[in-house]
Amino acid sequence: MELLTTKEAFEQAVKNNASLVLLKHSLTCPISSKAKRQFVKFHENHEVPSYIIHIQENRDLSDYVAEYFGIKHESPQVFLIKNGEVIFDASHWNVTAKKLEKVVQ
């Protein structure tokens, strides 16, 4: 799991991976803490490259991701990206390991 902090690092991750999962995570929100635990659980059982953006520390990057994909910013928010396209996104209580597992298969 890798922390993204720049637009360039985000763009490289999208370019260099056929598929990846990305979590936009709030460091202060209890819902986001639960979503992160689900994200980590998924990551531990799958070899899909996984990335996190800490929203409070990288709000510009978080907004850039929303603009890049044309998907409204939410937090927490997870994306499954294949070949540069978002094929699944979820936010808040819908960020679960089980849902990520279903869309990866």
Side-chain angles (χ1 to χ4, degrees):
M1 197 169 337
E2 186 176 331
L3 183 65
L4 295 177
T5 59
T6 67
K7 293 175 185 176
E8 295 78 18
F10 161 73
E11 290 172 352
Q12 280 299 111
V14 171
K15 180 181 173 185
N16 293 339
N17 294 289
S19 64
L20 64 102
V21 289
L22 170 65
L23 177 69
K24 292 168 59 173
H25 171 58
S26 168
L27 298 167
T28 58
C29 172
I31 297 170
S32 195
S33 291
K34 181 185 179 297
K36 184 178 179 189
R37 284 191 300 274
Q38 291 292 306
F39 182 77
V40 169
K41 181 179 177 181
F42 168 81
H43 172 74
E44 289 172 347
N45 295 310
H46 293 83
E47 294 188 20
V48 178
S50 301
Y51 297 87
I52 294 179
I53 297 171
H54 290 158
I55 294 167
Q56 286 89 338
E57 297 170 352
N58 298 287
R59 183 57 194 240
D60 289 348
L61 177 56
S62 180
D63 290 341
Y64 179 74
V65 170
E67 185 180 308
Y68 186 93
F69 291 120
I71 297 174
K72 180 184 170 211
H73 165 78
E74 298 200 53
S75 170
Q77 187 173 31
V78 70
F79 302 95
L80 175 59
I81 302 161
K82 282 198 174 184
N83 301 316
E85 302 283 328
V86 174
I87 63 164
F88 171 80
D89 73 283
S91 65
H92 297 86
W93 298 111
N94 291 314
V95 178
T96 67
K98 188 175 261 186
K99 286 183 181 181
L100 285 168
E101 289 166 5
K102 275 187 178 179
V103 295
V104 165
Q105 295 176 3

